[in-house]
Amino acid sequence: GTVSGTSISFGTPVVFNSGATHWISTVYDSANQKVVIAYKDTGNGSYGTAVVGTVSGTSISFGSEVVFRSANISYTSAVYDSANGKIVVAYQDGGNSDRGYTSVLTVSGTSITYGSYRQFESGRVDAIATAYDSTNEKVVIAYLDGGNSDYGTAVVATISGTENTFGTPVVFESAYSGDISATFDSSNNKVVITYKDGGNSYAGTAVVGTVSGTSISFGTPVVFASSPNGTSVVYNSSEQKVVIIYGDASQSSDYGTAIVGTVSGTSISFGSPFAFNSNGSTYYYSATYDSTNNKIVPAYMD
């Protein structure tokens, strides 16, 4: 996709996996100037798989697919650790009772190598989201902890070679927490996690996290929407604002909606919501920030 003003145009789609593909997560490796896609390859045992993409003009080409976990994985979330030049993939590991695991990937040319997978949560996990704290050089993994009443939980990961070590998991919401998304606010050095709060009528909620060493602490959660349908949160570094994309279920047709958040200390406040798609129901959001054009691009199913 090429952004020009307030429009976007696209090149020709390219297949990166010819089998059924689920739980796709895409990340940019800035050191190698490559795109890495991690996913569940349902056409190959539902194994955790990754592939390197090279952008040229308006096209993309791919290297060979690499299986990084030979088990049925779900809830894949990939993030790039710029300090170590590694990609961390967090996922639910069906080969280990749906517990939370990570794999660390290393890109070389159009190929990928990986270290041993490591457990970050001993209970079942769902709704995984990751963010990279570039100030503290840590990865934050947020997830629904099925082994602890489906509470919203986060843990700090540190890369060591080709593997992760973890701090102690911290609960950020003592209730069911679904549709989790996370981003890092680099101007305030804070992680922002969004989710649906099952303890508050599933209201869309955001909480600010502060990383210290291998731990994370949280401020008071703040509601941004009464009935969101999925969320994707992204940080606009030029405006120093967080933007949350979601379906507004309080509308009759789940309009695609955006709202701007401002972090202050350990709290966050919000402006008025804006409907960017009022044609009908909008689902499956993924938003990214174009730092060259200072634009946020949400992708979704209309």
Side-chain angles (χ1 to χ4, degrees):
T2 304
V3 173
S4 177
T6 59
S7 185
I8 187 168
S9 58
F10 290 97
T12 302
V14 178
V15 172
F16 63 86
N17 178 43
S18 56
T21 313
H22 297 96
W23 299 112
I24 299 167
S25 183
T26 308
V27 67
Y28 178 62
D29 180 333
S30 56
N32 292 286
Q33 298 182 3
K34 301 290 183 180
V35 172
V36 175
I37 306 174
Y39 52 96
K40 172 178 179 170
D41 187 353
T42 309
N44 182 33
S46 297
Y47 289 173
T49 308
V51 66
V52 176
T54 305
V55 173
S56 177
T58 59
S59 186
I60 187 168
S61 58
F62 294 99
S64 299
E65 298 172 76
V66 174
V67 173
F68 61 81
R69 177 67 181 115
S70 298
N72 183 346
I73 72 160
S74 298
Y75 300 102
T76 310
S77 181
V79 66
Y80 178 63
D81 181 333
S82 57
N84 291 284
K86 304 290 185 181
I87 293 160
V88 177
V89 186
Y91 50 91
Q92 180 198 81
D93 190 341
N96 281 297
S97 303
D98 292 339
R99 295 168 180 158
Y101 277 78
T102 63
S103 293
V104 177
L105 313 183
T106 305
V107 172
S108 178
T110 60
S111 186
I112 292 174
T113 56
Y114 55 93
S116 301
Y117 54 96
R118 289 288 180 259
Q119 179 181 293
F120 66 84
E121 178 55 61
S122 59
R124 177 184 58 81
V125 300
D126 294 283
I128 300 170
T130 51
Y132 178 63
D133 181 333
S134 55
T135 301
N136 292 288
E137 299 180 353
K138 303 289 185 182
V139 169
V140 175
I141 306 170
Y143 56 96
L144 181 155
D145 185 357
N148 185 29
S149 303
D150 292 339
Y151 286 177
T153 306
V155 67
V156 176
T158 305
I159 286 185
S160 178
T162 59
E163 298 176 7
N164 276 137
T165 57
F166 306 99
T168 302
V170 177
V171 171
F172 60 80
E173 183 60 67
S174 297
Y176 170 90
S177 303
D179 289 336
I180 297 174
S181 185
T183 194
F184 179 64
D185 179 335
S186 56
S187 63
N188 291 288
N189 298 324
K190 302 293 183 182
V191 174
V192 178
I193 300 172
T194 63
Y195 57 98
K196 289 172 68 169
D197 182 0
N200 185 28
S201 302
Y202 299 95
T205 306
V207 67
V208 175
T210 305
V211 173
S212 177
T214 60
S215 187
I216 187 168
S217 58
F218 292 98
T220 303
V222 178
V223 172
F224 65 85
S226 60
S227 302
N229 173 33
T231 59
S232 180
V233 61
V234 64
Y235 178 65
N236 182 319
S237 57
S238 178
E239 305 296 332
Q240 299 182 355
K241 302 288 185 182
V242 169
V243 177
I244 304 172
I245 306 297
Y246 61 98
D248 187 355
S250 67
Q251 302 283 345
S252 60
S253 298
D254 287 320
Y255 289 168
T257 305
I259 194 168
V260 176
T262 304
V263 172
S264 178
T266 59
S267 188
I268 186 168
S269 58
F270 293 99
S272 300
F274 169 77
F276 62 84
N277 179 35
S278 55
N279 294 325
S281 298
T282 312
Y283 303 102
Y284 303 116
Y285 306 93
S286 181
T288 191
Y289 174 62
D290 177 340
S291 56
T292 302
N293 293 287
N294 187 25
K295 303 292 183 185
I296 289 171
V297 181
Y300 53 95
M301 183 183 84
D302 187 350

